[in-house]
Amino acid sequence: MKPIESLVRDNIKNLKPCPHGAEVYGAATESGLKPQEILDFSSSVNPLGPSKKALDAAKEAFSTVAAYPDSNSNLLRQVIASHFSGITKDNIVVGNGSTELMYLFAEAFLKKGDKALMAAPTFGEYESAVRKTGEAPKFVRLGSSFQVEAEAFKREMAGCKMVFLCNPNNPTSKLIPKDTLTDILETALAQDVLVFLDEDFLEFVDDEKGLTQIKNIAKFPNLLVLRSFTKIFGLTGLRVGYGITSKELASVLLCAKIPWNVNCLAQAAAVAAIQDQEHLRVTRELIRKEKVWLQQELGAVKGFSFEPPDANFFFIDIKDANITANNLKHKMLQQGILIRDCSSFVGLNEFYIRVAVKTHDENVRLIEAFKRALKSV
Ligand SMILES: Cc1ncc(COP(=O)(O)O)c(C=O)c1O
């Protein structure tokens, strides 16, 4: 038998896993703590967890685990469609987490030699999804204050097959200015460029309804808007996300996806979660209040600087604190707190961290731990 390595396709052989926050299992091994003892500020999800109604629905769905789940998540697609106006379930594709849809989108549309454009820094799985197809991503650096700049982006977009955009962006916590986004979408349409617009964090933004591009999918048949049950709905471990797009594009993805990609517990929980508007209201209120508190407290930490966040996480430049993100991460972990060292993001150096907005008591612990960690620097 030949070495297995010699049999692997080149694009797979060269893949490297994309680093992420929420590495609580690795952090537990390093710190000697149990995973549940670690306070995780590295993943930006609902600090209250999922709605009780969603958990009850998942429990009830246990009675159905002996059967295959609905392969195309029809009920969930129906419920999502009725949650928004102007779309039907035929505009929707559901994925095993929204990450599955990034890979599916790249796999379905990237042909040999096609280029896919994305910002630097942004969420790392867009790059991995493109590399897995055997094609190379093209990066455009964000401008001052880590904003997408329309002219630079459009210049680089010329000749590309697709672009990935994240609004608000991870890790910068910044919205793409409205006019910039419209300008890019219109140019992309005129140039036959597909747009994958990740709105996974938009539900944490006050003017979500005014800013979402879901209402514009009829105008932009080249657009897919991504949403997730991981973030504000807190169904992180169940893995459910969805794309809203033109019927033509949705039907391509529905055919290309693997069968039974979303399990029965996840489908049932998501159906209940999206209908529990009260849980979302309480979550938004908490995040709004705690963002104000954290902005003041983090702003008072010597050496930290940041822009006001648009999403539910802070992106902090720690250069003036005279410590690298990696060292600060270890000092925080010694106190049972996990933060995101952002140095793995394309376009960032070793002096950026990201922290989520959590409950008040947890945020107090974060600030106290930062102060202790930096005292010894
Ligand atoms: C911007 C962004 N999109 C998508 C994802 C992945 O979401 P999901 O859990 O739905 O796969 C993440 C995870 O961190 C993210 O930051």
Side-chain angles (χ1 to χ4, degrees):
M1 179 72 192
K2 290 181 190 168
I4 295 294
E5 206 195 323
S6 69
L7 305 176
V8 183
R9 290 171 58 198
D10 287 341
N11 46 314
I12 302 295
K13 204 180 336 189
N14 297 330
L15 281 181
K16 291 189 196 75
C18 170
H20 287 293
E23 298 152 341
V24 277
Y25 297 101
T29 311
E30 179 190 325
S31 62
L33 295 167
K34 296 195 183 96
Q36 60 275 23
E37 288 170 345
I38 293 174
L39 192 48
D40 182 14
F41 277 85
S42 73
S43 97
S44 310
V45 300
N46 190 329
L48 301 174
S51 127
K52 183 173 176 310
K53 290 180 180 157
L55 291 181
D56 288 345
K59 276 184 211 149
E60 205 166 303
F62 260 116
S63 61
T64 68
V65 295
Y68 279 101
D70 175 0
S71 189
N72 280 342
S73 304
N74 282 296
L75 174 62
L76 176 55
R77 285 162 63 222
Q78 192 80 55
V79 172
I80 294 168
S82 58
H83 182 73
F84 298 100
S85 52
I87 58 168
T88 73
K89 83 183 207 332
D90 297 334
N91 295 107
I92 300 168
V93 55
V94 178
N96 192 280
S98 64
T99 302
E100 184 190 15
L101 301 175
M102 297 165 198
Y103 282 77
L104 189 60
F105 194 81
E107 185 190 11
F109 292 106
L110 282 180
K111 298 181 189 166
K112 201 166 170 43
D114 282 345
K115 292 192 185 69
L117 185 69
M118 59 199 71
T122 195
F123 184 55
E125 293 293 348
Y126 313 142
E127 173 183 358
S128 298
V130 171
R131 290 203 188 279
K132 196 170 173 199
T133 68
E135 303 311 312
K138 187 175 166 189
F139 293 101
V140 54
R141 287 187 89 95
L142 295 176
S144 58
S145 308
F146 291 105
Q147 288 288 9
V148 174
E149 288 179 345
E151 290 313 314
F153 202 89
K154 285 192 303 178
R155 198 168 47 244
E156 297 300 324
M157 185 167 77
C160 286
K161 175 71 166 281
M162 65 176 62
V163 301
F164 287 87
L165 285 166
C166 190
N167 195 35
N169 190 36
N170 175 9
T172 57
S173 205
K174 289 313 264 181
L175 284 163
I176 303 171
K178 223 173 168 177
D179 294 348
T180 301
L181 185 55
T182 306
D183 193 3
I184 291 172
L185 286 172
E186 281 170 357
T187 309
L189 182 64
Q191 297 179 357
D192 298 321
V193 179
L194 296 166
V195 179
F196 189 96
L197 177 63
D198 183 338
E199 291 188 354
D200 278 9
F201 287 107
L202 195 64
E203 282 144 322
F204 288 103
V205 176
D206 283 343
D207 188 22
E208 178 211 344
K209 291 207 163 57
L211 295 170
T212 183
Q213 292 297 329
I214 290 172
K215 57 184 180 293
N216 288 332
I217 57 154
K219 185 171 162 200
F220 297 113
N222 57 331
L223 171 68
L224 179 140
V225 179
L226 189 74
R227 291 291 180 105
S228 180
F229 284 93
T230 290
K231 310 296 183 192
I232 203 160
F233 294 102
L235 294 175
T236 316
L238 282 180
R239 315 299 304 128
V240 205
Y242 57 99
I244 300 189
T245 183
S246 62
K247 288 184 183 167
E248 293 75 10
L249 209 153
S251 91
V252 170
L253 299 182
L254 284 164
C255 289
K257 75 174 187 61
I258 61 164
W260 312 297
N261 57 330
V262 182
N263 72 66
C264 58
L265 308 183
Q267 289 187 38
V271 164
I274 202 167
Q275 297 182 106
D276 188 352
Q277 289 299 309
E278 177 58 11
H279 187 63
L280 295 186
R281 191 192 62 74
V282 172
T283 302
R284 288 190 179 111
E285 205 170 288
L286 170 76
I287 298 287
R288 200 172 300 131
K289 202 161 142 219
E290 288 305 311
K291 249 167 91 165
V292 173
W293 187 83
L294 268 177
Q295 186 154 331
Q296 198 166 6
E297 296 294 317
L298 287 168
V301 176
K302 205 163 157 263
F304 279 14
S305 59
F306 55 87
E307 293 275 321
D310 289 321
N312 59 324
F313 50 89
F314 284 75
F315 174 60
I316 308 171
D317 179 343
I318 61 166
K319 196 168 47 289
D320 293 341
N322 295 319
I323 187 167
T324 63
N326 185 41
N327 283 344
L328 183 56
K329 177 181 159 182
H330 290 298
K331 280 178 183 286
M332 295 296 280
L333 192 53
Q334 285 162 8
Q335 304 177 68
I337 290 180
L338 184 60
I339 61 168
R340 177 69 154 105
D341 161 9
C342 292
S343 41
S344 64
F345 283 91
V346 175
L348 291 183
N349 63 26
E350 67 271 39
F351 294 112
Y352 291 93
I353 60 165
R354 192 191 67 207
V355 290
V357 177
K358 293 176 76 77
T359 63
H360 188 66
D361 289 352
E362 291 168 333
N363 296 335
V364 169
R365 274 187 62 192
L366 176 79
I367 297 297
E368 285 170 356
F370 271 137
K371 286 182 182 158
R372 273 194 295 269
L374 294 170
K375 210 179 242 171
S376 53
V377 171

